[in-house]
Amino acid sequence: EREEFSLEALMKVIEGRKIDKKEGSYTTYLFEKGIDKILKKVGEECTEVIIAGKADDKKETIYEIADLAYHVMVMMIEMGITLDDVTAELARLDKDLKKANVDKEFFEKKLNNPGFVSKAPAAVVEQQKEQLGKVLEKIKMIEESIADLQKMK
């Protein structure tokens, strides 16, 4: 009996194709061709996701994202990366995001304090603004990374 679908179950099937090569299996073919072929397929699938998304075709975009996810999972198996590795990275990014948001609140509170702004030297105020800008940029990058990784979860 086949178990209910999950990413974990799919990873096991893909891993099985690497270990017990099944004649005529596309997954086995990818593993036999090696990392360069796998990476080429990941790149092609990325492009297809972009094309479908640009066409605003939700059904096709979902299909292409699923196809990309499959090829990324083949790459993960080839490289020895697990779903737990991806989950751990998401957890690390979430922790970094929480810290960056605390930093953001700190700088915003300082810069919104008229007493600080009026009494501190202009160079110090400018430095605080620059620090806030860096924190906002970091938050944006972390949020983008989390969004990308959650597509694999």
Side-chain angles (χ1 to χ4, degrees):
E1 185 177 319
R2 192 173 187 168
E3 65 181 272
E4 189 175 319
F5 179 82
S6 69
L7 293 178
E8 291 80 6
L10 179 56
M11 285 289 279
K12 286 178 187 173
V13 170
I14 293 169
E15 192 170 32
R17 293 293 190 269
K18 182 177 172 79
I19 296 165
D20 301 321
K21 301 189 180 346
K22 183 177 177 184
E23 183 77 29
S25 162
Y26 175 67
T27 306
T28 297
Y29 162 80
L30 289 173
F31 284 127
E32 287 174 346
K33 290 296 181 182
I35 192 68
D36 287 343
K37 179 66 175 178
I38 294 166
L39 294 173
K40 181 179 177 190
K41 288 303 297 179
V42 168
E44 289 171 9
E45 297 307 329
C46 285
T47 301
E48 290 174 11
V49 167
I50 292 166
I51 291 167
K54 182 68 176 160
D56 200 27
D57 184 335
K58 184 176 179 179
K59 184 177 180 182
E60 183 66 15
T61 303
I62 291 168
Y63 172 82
E64 294 300 346
I65 289 170
D67 206 17
L68 173 60
Y70 158 78
H71 285 90
V72 167
M73 291 171 97
V74 172
M75 180 187 72
M76 289 170 64
I77 297 292
E78 182 68 10
M79 296 179 68
I81 299 169
T82 67
L83 289 173
D84 286 343
D85 294 332
V86 174
T87 300
E89 179 63 7
L90 283 168
R92 184 192 67 77
L93 288 169
D94 184 61
K95 182 179 176 184
D96 288 352
L97 181 59
K98 286 176 182 166
K99 183 191 180 314
N101 277 310
V102 168
D103 292 346
K104 174 187 159 215
E105 289 175 22
F106 171 79
F107 289 116
E108 286 178 338
K109 186 175 180 182
K110 255 185 162 178
L111 292 168
N112 288 327
N113 179 340
F116 170 77
V117 174
S118 66
K119 292 178 184 170
V124 171
V125 173
E126 191 57 37
Q127 179 193 35
Q128 296 297 298
K129 287 180 181 177
E130 287 175 16
Q131 291 296 326
L132 176 60
K134 289 178 182 177
V135 167
L136 292 173
E137 190 174 303
K138 183 176 183 176
I139 289 170
K140 182 180 177 190
M141 288 175 40
I142 293 170
E143 286 174 341
E144 289 173 358
S145 294
I146 289 171
D148 290 343
L149 288 170
Q150 284 178 330
K151 291 175 188 169
M152 284 305 305
K153 201 153 179 306

